[in-house]
Amino acid sequence: MPVPHQLSAIIKEGEKWFLPSVSLDCVILGFHDNQVKVLVLKLKHSNVWALPGGFVLKEEDTETAAARVLRERTGLQNIFLQQFHVFGAPNRSDSNIHRKSLLQTGIELNNDSWLFQRFISIGYYALVDFAHVTPFPDENSTECVWKDIHEIGSLMMDHNEILNKALETVRLQLNHQPIGYNLLPQKFTMPELQKLYETILDKALDRRNFHRKMTAFGILKRLKETRKGGAHRAPFLYSFDMRKYQKALKQGLNGGW
Amino acid sequence: MPVPHQLSAIIKEGEKWFLPSVSLDCVILGFHDNQVKVLVLKLKHSNVWALPGGFVLKEEDTETAAARVLRERTGLQNIFLQQFHVFGAPNRSDSNIHRKSLLQTGIELNNDSWLFQRFISIGYYALVDFAHVTPFPDENSTECVWKDIHEIGSLMMDHNEILNKALETVRLQLNHQPIGYNLLPQKFTMPELQKLYETILDKALDRRNFHRKMTAFGILKRLKETRKGGAHRAPFLYSFDMRKYQKALKQGLNGGW
DNA sequence: GTATAATTGTGTCATAACGACACAATCAAA
DNA sequence: TTTGATTGTGTCGTTATGACACAATTATAC
């Protein structure tokens, strides 16, 4: 039995398609204008911002479900996706938000609808190449946009907590996961890489020492091109040497930042 | 409506008490005889070993549920408990194991029983002081014992995967979580601490360099006592300086091991 | 054209951390 | 009292780190 295309049809009879009690939320991160951005949705009729989320089909792997949500919002496939935490407080859902929003969309649900039951939420973070993403709002939201992680206001329910936990996880995994590789375009400059590290670590780094250390890891290939266009000396372009990068990550890029 | 005390009564009508689709498994770790141990259960009638697990009550926090399972198996409260991963493959459950075991225990369930539905499992790891634990088997198991993590055989379902993921997580968090504090007794020797690190990292460390580095962190207090009894020079006892320990962990005990 | 301002590439130096190693002190058992 | 194993502590050469300075390069302004 295929899942209907219309969100409204799915929501009305969610118990037919989805695993009960389990939802997921995605913290989709990108890097643009030297800033780390997160993809957020503006819910219809409520002006509330939320992280993109979804549910798990009855026979679907949770990982696959997250990839599906990701594809629906960004058009991207084969994305770096990592589960980072489960949010399981019994009172974390706020069914009023859904109810209000859905009601104004024209969907009326009974009080005992599956959607108003308790849900735990599995948090996933995704790292994407900003330039390749076209954000799509879903049927229940009016906007789907990138926001600077430092300029995120109040989000729905516990989504601020989810976002913060995701950012903390990324910071802790910086030496063990290919964070730089997945957030940056194929070719990037050393200052861009440094800015990415600085944003994630929330900490200024010395330009020369950063260059020295990063070079010493041996995970970068310096290309023969430079990035022209800036009103200053043109920086060299680099790309990752995936062979050595993967190898180095297994041991962890040693040393503290 | 209180939960019945009899496991059999709970299992037969689990849908009355528990959140559907969600289970949890606990990797309970201790340190004894210079070895890291994990608590495992031997299921009745099947001779299969499994990690202690349980379900989440309808109005219960997932964290609280894990603490409850922990208390039931070890008698301990206020334990260091960390969620580390969700196992969400659709085919990870193996209802035959449960069915067989329960049947021989005298509990017969319909094919459409809640227990045979799909469950995702939230993995928690707990660090306990071995000396304070009295392992209790539950109503569905004959034994509840400590096993050396290097001598664990085949476990039920995906429990080997769960255990390995827990150990990997502990290794990665060694510089950020109070692993030593929670696994060791209040007073311990430097060689014991080193052996703990070596076991978790699965790597031999130089005795003198370990001592130097650990001392440099400033997180240990050397006591005026020594551990007598060994047939050799009596090592000093240490305890953690929690003030400095907590502070150091926030930044991460820098440097690679 | 040429000067300008900002940014990038690279080097130095003193200090701290690290890995490899040796030797003396101490304890229980023989 | 001797012995064997283990622990406490120090040394030394090498490497990594943090704090800096200066030259090279680029589009823009003049």
Side-chain angles (χ1 to χ4, degrees):
Chain A
M1 187 157 46
V3 182
H5 281 297
Q6 281 272 325
L7 182 67
S8 48
I10 300 178
I11 286 183
K12 273 187 184 165
E13 305 183 307
E15 69 275 12
K16 275 192 186 173
W17 319 106
F18 298 117
L19 202 58
S21 309
V22 181
S23 65
L24 60 90
D25 288 296
C26 292
V27 176
I28 304 173
L29 299 174
F31 189 65
H32 186 62
D33 280 341
N34 277 347
Q35 293 177 326
V36 175
K37 310 270 189 181
V38 58
L39 209 60
V40 286
L41 297 167
K42 191 175 192 175
L43 299 188
K44 277 182 183 171
H45 309 295
S46 68
N47 282 355
V48 172
W49 293 93
L51 296 172
F55 302 98
V56 181
L57 294 171
K58 289 198 170 179
E59 296 299 329
E60 185 183 37
D61 193 290
T62 49
E63 204 83 10
T64 310
R68 179 170 49 76
V69 169
L70 201 58
R71 180 166 43 76
E72 288 167 358
R73 287 306 128 254
T74 65
L76 294 179
Q77 273 175 306
N78 299 324
I79 288 305
F80 183 79
L81 188 63
Q82 291 273 302
Q83 179 204 124
F84 63 92
H85 198 74
V86 176
F87 299 86
N91 59 348
R92 60 172 293 281
S93 305
D94 179 354
S95 51
N96 281 330
I97 293 184
H98 295 302
R99 196 190 317 254
K100 195 173 160 190
S101 178
L102 291 169
L103 198 60
Q104 298 200 23
T105 314
I107 305 174
E108 198 163 343
L109 297 176
N110 292 332
N111 277 343
D112 62 349
S113 161
W114 72 289
L115 194 60
F116 302 146
Q117 301 296 110
R118 173 184 172 192
F119 282 92
I120 67 166
S121 183
I122 310 177
Y124 285 85
Y125 76 83
L127 307 179
V128 304
D129 182 348
F130 184 90
H132 292 167
V133 173
T134 317
F136 294 108
D138 64 18
E139 209 185 322
N140 197 33
S141 49
T142 56
E143 294 182 56
C144 181
V145 297
W146 290 106
K147 284 207 175 187
D148 189 300
I149 54 166
H150 293 116
E151 290 164 14
I152 288 284
S154 181
L155 300 176
M156 181 182 77
M157 288 165 40
D158 57 354
H159 286 198
N160 284 98
E161 183 190 347
I162 294 177
L163 171 60
N164 288 334
K165 185 77 180 175
L167 294 174
E168 185 191 328
T169 304
V170 169
R171 195 175 337 123
L172 289 173
Q173 295 186 348
L174 197 52
N175 287 335
H176 296 274
Q177 297 288 353
I179 313 269
Y181 174 74
N182 284 291
L183 277 179
L184 291 169
Q186 190 126 40
K187 300 175 182 181
F188 53 91
T189 68
M190 193 62 82
E192 283 164 2
L193 182 60
Q194 180 181 342
K195 192 67 196 173
L196 175 59
Y197 269 70
E198 289 184 332
T199 309
I200 290 175
L201 296 168
D202 198 21
K203 180 179 176 178
L205 300 173
D206 182 89
R207 193 169 58 84
R208 295 149 288 192
N209 296 338
F210 180 82
H211 181 282
R212 190 209 313 162
K213 193 165 179 174
M214 205 44 101
T215 304
F217 287 146
I219 61 175
L220 297 180
K221 284 184 296 198
R222 194 173 88 172
L223 309 179
K224 279 162 188 160
E225 319 165 52
T226 55
R227 160 106 71 228
K228 306 272 184 184
H232 316 289
R233 176 169 182 175
F236 281 103
L237 287 171
Y238 290 82
S239 66
F240 283 98
D241 183 334
M242 281 315 283
R243 223 186 160 73
K244 297 183 183 171
Y245 192 26
Q246 294 288 4
K247 201 171 170 183
L249 286 174
K250 273 187 192 166
Q251 301 233 332
L253 300 176
N254 256 347
W257 292 97
Chain B
M1 187 159 45
V3 182
H5 281 298
Q6 282 272 324
L7 182 67
S8 50
I10 299 178
I11 285 184
K12 272 187 186 164
E13 305 182 308
E15 71 274 11
K16 274 193 186 172
W17 318 107
F18 298 117
L19 202 57
S21 310
V22 181
S23 65
L24 59 90
D25 289 296
C26 292
V27 176
I28 305 172
L29 299 174
F31 189 65
H32 186 62
D33 280 342
N34 277 348
Q35 294 178 325
V36 175
K37 310 270 189 182
V38 59
L39 209 61
V40 286
L41 296 168
K42 191 175 191 176
L43 299 188
K44 276 182 184 170
H45 308 296
S46 68
N47 281 356
V48 172
W49 293 92
L51 296 172
F55 302 98
V56 182
L57 294 170
K58 287 198 171 178
E59 297 298 330
E60 184 183 37
D61 193 291
T62 50
E63 204 84 9
T64 310
R68 179 170 48 77
V69 169
L70 200 57
R71 179 166 44 77
E72 288 167 358
R73 287 306 130 254
T74 65
L76 294 179
Q77 274 174 309
N78 299 324
I79 288 305
F80 182 79
L81 189 64
Q82 291 273 302
Q83 178 203 124
F84 63 92
H85 198 76
V86 176
F87 299 86
N91 58 347
R92 62 171 293 280
S93 306
D94 178 355
S95 49
N96 281 328
I97 292 185
H98 295 301
R99 195 189 318 252
K100 196 173 160 189
S101 177
L102 291 169
L103 200 59
Q104 299 200 22
T105 314
I107 304 174
E108 198 165 344
L109 296 176
N110 292 333
N111 277 343
D112 62 350
S113 161
W114 73 288
L115 194 60
F116 302 146
Q117 302 297 110
R118 173 183 173 193
F119 282 92
I120 66 167
S121 182
I122 310 177
Y124 285 85
Y125 76 83
L127 306 180
V128 305
D129 183 347
F130 183 91
H132 292 168
V133 173
T134 317
F136 294 108
D138 62 18
E139 208 184 325
N140 197 32
S141 48
T142 56
E143 296 182 55
C144 182
V145 298
W146 290 106
K147 284 208 176 189
D148 189 299
I149 54 165
H150 294 114
E151 291 163 14
I152 288 284
S154 182
L155 299 176
M156 181 183 78
M157 288 164 42
D158 57 353
H159 285 199
N160 284 98
E161 183 190 346
I162 294 177
L163 171 60
N164 288 333
K165 185 79 179 175
L167 294 174
E168 185 192 326
T169 304
V170 169
R171 192 175 339 123
L172 289 174
Q173 294 187 348
L174 197 52
N175 286 335
H176 297 275
Q177 297 288 354
I179 313 267
Y181 174 74
N182 285 289
L183 278 180
L184 292 170
Q186 191 127 40
K187 300 175 181 181
F188 53 90
T189 68
M190 193 62 82
E192 284 165 1
L193 182 61
Q194 182 182 341
K195 191 67 193 174
L196 176 59
Y197 269 70
E198 289 184 331
T199 309
I200 290 175
L201 296 169
D202 197 22
K203 182 179 176 178
L205 300 172
D206 182 88
R207 193 169 58 84
R208 294 150 288 194
N209 295 338
F210 180 83
H211 180 282
R212 189 207 315 160
K213 195 166 177 174
M214 204 45 98
T215 304
F217 288 146
I219 60 175
L220 298 180
K221 284 186 294 199
R222 194 173 89 172
L223 309 179
K224 280 162 188 160
E225 318 165 54
T226 55
R227 161 108 67 228
K228 306 272 182 182
H232 315 288
R233 177 168 182 174
F236 281 104
L237 287 171
Y238 290 82
S239 65
F240 283 98
D241 183 335
M242 282 314 285
R243 225 188 159 72
K244 296 183 183 171
Y245 192 27
Q246 294 288 4
K247 202 171 170 183
L249 286 175
K250 273 186 193 166
Q251 301 232 332
L253 299 177
N254 255 347
W257 294 97

